[in-house]
Amino acid sequence: RYTTGYVLTMATTQQHEGSGTKQSDTEQMKSPEPEEVTSDERKAEDVSMKSAETSENGSKPAVSGELRAETKLFLDMCHKYLDCREKMDEKYRQVDEFNTIAEFQVKTDSNGIQADSDDLLAFKPEYQQQSPEGTPVKFLSELYSAADLAMPVYQNLINNLVEQVRKDCGDEEDSISVQFSLKKDADHDQQNTGPGRSLLDAVKIQFAPLKGRDRAQIKADDDYSTRKPGPGISWLFDIVRGSIKFSSAQQISACLKIMNEDPAFHVVKAKNRFANPTLTGYRDFNLCVQIEVPEHNGFKHICEVQIHHKAIKAFSEELNSHEYYEYFRKFFAGSTDSLKERLDDLKLIAGGGALDDSMLNELLERSVDEQRLERLGMLFENQLCEYGWALTVYSKLLDMRLQIYGEEHHLVASLYDNIANVLLLQGKLDMAMTVHEQVLSIKKKILGEEHSSTAKTMHNIALVQYKQGKLTESMSMYENSLAITKKTLGEEHIYVADIFVGMAMILEIEKKLKQAMKLYESSLKIYQTTLGDSHPKVAVTYNNMATVLMKQRRRDRALDLFRLSLEIEKKTLGEEHASLATSYDNIASVLEEKGKLDEAMENYQLSLSIRKKTIGEIHTSTGKTYNNMAYLLERQGKRDEAMVAYQKAMVIFKDTLGEDHYYVETVKENIAHLERKGKGFWSLWRT
């Protein structure tokens, strides 16, 4: 039997690497003894992907007929989102009839944090977050230590601000509410008893559950890793933050006037989202203020202040607008200046539900700026899984960037990453490797060899080498990536866990099962600590551990972990996500080994149904499921049905992999055995 699975990989996408994932299932197969259970593949999946798998040519849905599940979901979300946006705009017109808040000008004391330089990555060092000793923070733990000390000072400042607004406006005590939060460990809540606690009843202060540190680290890596001076973690301004909800436009204006005049509020950045609303039409003020912590050497810390209108906040929650924000977040990332253009793009795509080349051409003709093209590429890649269209958009953007910046620029390297990841999703390994190697060369020149972003590209190369069967080269590249990642990001970073998974799957192929299991367990510990127990990466790791248990003949424990993985994926990814197909295959495989053939067939059928909807009929993974089903049908004595399934697998493998691939040879042997009524058929068993 052959077993396959997925590999959990590090994300490298646009916006300085990091907002999405890009790997499809690997294709390393070999010929074990008939009864040996092996695993040469793992799960490459992350929540931002609608489908980790696609056809080899990035198959496009027909203009007419049944649309793919991803396309249906996208069009449905488009229509709901546009309706939400219209209602939010109307609500603002009701609460601020004269547009008072939108027109308010907040004084920014920093005059911008970007340095006066031709280097777009250069920023003013005086606005890096400081340690209690007054030096720029280097690690996440150092940043949180400073945040703990700054929180009481910040609370006192905000409470005094609220009391002054209440006096100036003559409002009732319950007309304003304040909420403080501190991003911290995911599994702990903090009831802060610092300054301001005495005002709890008067201003209805609520202490929010604390957020996990993993989001802070990911944001630093994704958005700020290329800033100078570094590290990226020193540019996080929202660890300490407060939320003030006012009942009227008059209160908000009074608050902003006080902040303009009070020297205690050194405003570093300000976003007036009443003037430029978010993608869902939500409106608020978002300010970053630098405060001094006098009891600890007077070090400075930058905190975030969010100013909301109660009626708008409540209406947004009623419409569940956050759901649409999360779904379209990447498409709308960046400046709000071009929001109207992006809305127009969505309206065109959602217009009639007909997604075709003429629609793509119309989008490209009116998309002449970089950000717009990049968002369109990410939209096709992540939401619609239209990889051919994504490459078309990225190619146009690449030509534009090469003309503007030249080859050795971080934006060019970032775009090459996107292109390589799409090629990988299409199964074009050699082309993906060529592009990744180009990215590595650029990053070494502009960032240096020991940079976290350089390590990410090494990880991507290691994955492609693994998929090409170059296991020695892959392990060496993983080890290089691991050393740099530990040095730059620390021992407990999620990227360290990702690398452990890649190394473990190689050890598993080499039959070093105890070493592989140890690395899987280490990765699981990091994922659970940073991401929580119900994250897709935790599900993936359970899957990986179960494949090792299968090789160790510990089938009952393996089945438990496969089912646990499936339940997490259902909860986090939905019932028809491509990742679930692999889990159903895994469960079917174990049930088949236990002799529960009818239950096994039910799970294979569920897998096949999902694969046809998400990646289509002509895909190697669909072919593997057909082959598995054929083997099981033969065991059930349904020889004619088994032959049909084997032949379907044969057609798919020839079409996607070529006549000489060993998958094709394996199915030929299966068919030959079936024709001779022999035993010991080999199967491409997915785990």
Side-chain angles (χ1 to χ4, degrees), residues 21-60:
T21 71
K22 305 295 179 206
Q23 313 305 349
S24 66
D25 57 299
T26 63
E27 306 290 350
Q28 293 297 321
M29 302 300 300
K30 60 183 180 181
S31 298
E33 294 299 320
E35 291 304 318
E36 182 179 0
V37 181
T38 65
S39 176
D40 306 318
E41 188 182 357
R42 281 283 163 299
K43 192 174 278 186
E45 183 50 53
D46 202 292
V47 302
S48 63
M49 293 294 298
K50 287 292 152 193
S51 172
E53 302 169 316
T54 184
S55 65
E56 299 298 320
N57 59 1
S59 59
K60 301 175 184 176

Side-chain angles (χ1 to χ4, degrees), residues 617-629:
E617 177 87 5
I618 308 300
H619 191 281
T620 52
S621 293
T622 309
K624 293 172 191 175
T625 301
Y626 273 125
N627 190 80
N628 297 343
M629 295 176 69

